[in-house]
Amino acid sequence: CALGAVRAENLLRNAGFATAGSGEAPDYWSWQNGPTERADWPHCWRLDEAHFVAATRSMRLADEGGKRVRLLSFYYRLPVGKNYSFSAYLRSDREGARITMYLGDVKPDPNFPGTGCVKAETFAVGTGWRRCTVTGSTALLERFHSCVAFQLEGNAAVWINAPQLEEGTQPTAFAVSPHDGTFGWPQAIPVHETHADSRAAFLDRSFYTTETEATLWIRLAQPGVARV
């Protein structure tokens, strides 16, 4: 795809997947329908050192059983009536793997009327890196309080590298957000469970790019006490 002449600001935090305070889930990124509850965890959803853009890591989504696997960004609040481009470098362990990219949430959030998915597009990817882009306008939304998401379609493993959300109709060269490192925690915060299966306790740190709000989400695989 063509690259814009001027680099726009990446609105996604931790887009290089460099930090993961929980040890497994990258900060500012999350899942849906709890992969920790699956028998193939953590094979189905994990950080990986493979990359197209130097000094970044990837998220690897994998499935061989026909179950849905998703990667979601943090939720943010952006102006309506503008064009946005959502891009990422993708590759798979096989030819013809399919993955859907959502500019906006997968479905409207009932807690925020007027929100929804701006545009979704399914891409076929192979064993070589390919930059895929979804571009759309928020003009039809009353408010753009949403996220971006990836959904693996069918059996495959797909690596997601250097996601970028920016204003405009063309993706520009990848860059991490200038806000990375702000409104964050001074150090990694471990989360522990009191039962034996501690692998399923993770802390997902979520921040808006335009606000000083912070939300901590703690998911336990079984009833227990989390210590932060």
Side-chain angles (χ1 to χ4, degrees):
C1 61
L3 298 181
V6 179
R7 176 180 290 177
E9 178 181 323
N10 191 348
L11 301 172
L12 298 176
R13 301 291 289 271
N14 193 29
F17 303 127
T19 59
S22 67
E24 294 286 349
D27 299 349
Y28 306 100
W29 295 86
S30 186
W31 54 77
Q32 193 170 39
N33 298 330
T36 57
E37 300 170 358
R38 295 168 49 132
D40 56 353
W41 171 265
H43 173 77
C44 63
W45 196 95
R46 62 177 172 84
L47 285 163
D48 194 277
E49 295 300 323
H51 59 269
F52 178 83
V53 176
T56 66
R57 295 191 290 182
S58 294
M59 278 299 296
R60 180 183 181 274
L61 309 186
D63 183 62
E64 296 295 343
K67 296 182 179 179
R68 183 171 58 200
V69 184
R70 287 176 176 167
L71 173 67
L72 291 82
S73 74
F74 63 97
Y75 278 73
Y76 47 81
R77 193 171 296 167
L78 297 174
V80 297
K82 291 189 175 184
N83 291 312
Y84 291 94
S85 292
F86 170 40
S87 61
Y89 290 93
L90 308 173
R91 76 170 177 88
S92 179
D93 63 343
R94 66 198 72 184
E95 297 298 326
R98 297 185 306 121
I99 187 168
T100 301
M101 294 173 57
Y102 293 85
L103 174 55
D105 205 349
V106 176
K107 58 184 179 181
D109 188 337
N111 297 313
F112 296 95
T115 63
C117 181
V118 174
K119 188 177 180 181
E121 189 170 346
T122 301
F123 297 92
V125 296
T127 55
W129 287 106
R130 174 191 177 190
R131 195 181 198 188
C132 299
T133 304
V134 178
T135 299
S137 172
T138 58
L140 299 180
L141 298 181
E142 296 175 19
R143 59 193 302 186
F144 193 19
H145 181 288
S146 193
C147 66
V148 294
F150 299 86
Q151 179 172 298
L152 183 60
E153 311 286 355
N155 297 342
V158 172
W159 285 259
I160 301 168
N161 182 241
Q164 183 153 286
L165 176 66
E166 57 192 304
E167 287 189 27
T169 58
Q170 294 287 341
T172 62
F174 173 78
V176 297
S177 169
H179 302 290
D180 279 359
T182 62
F183 302 141
W185 307 107
Q187 59 185 6
I189 303 176
V191 177
H192 305 281
E193 289 191 71
T194 56
H195 57 79
D197 188 11
S198 60
R199 67 178 184 173
F202 298 104
L203 176 64
D204 172 25
R205 287 178 265 173
S206 181
F207 293 83
Y208 298 117
T209 57
T210 54
E211 302 173 8
T212 55
E213 298 181 33
T215 304
L216 300 183
W217 300 90
I218 300 175
R219 181 180 183 86
L220 301 181
Q222 303 175 23
V225 177
R227 182 174 70 254
V228 178

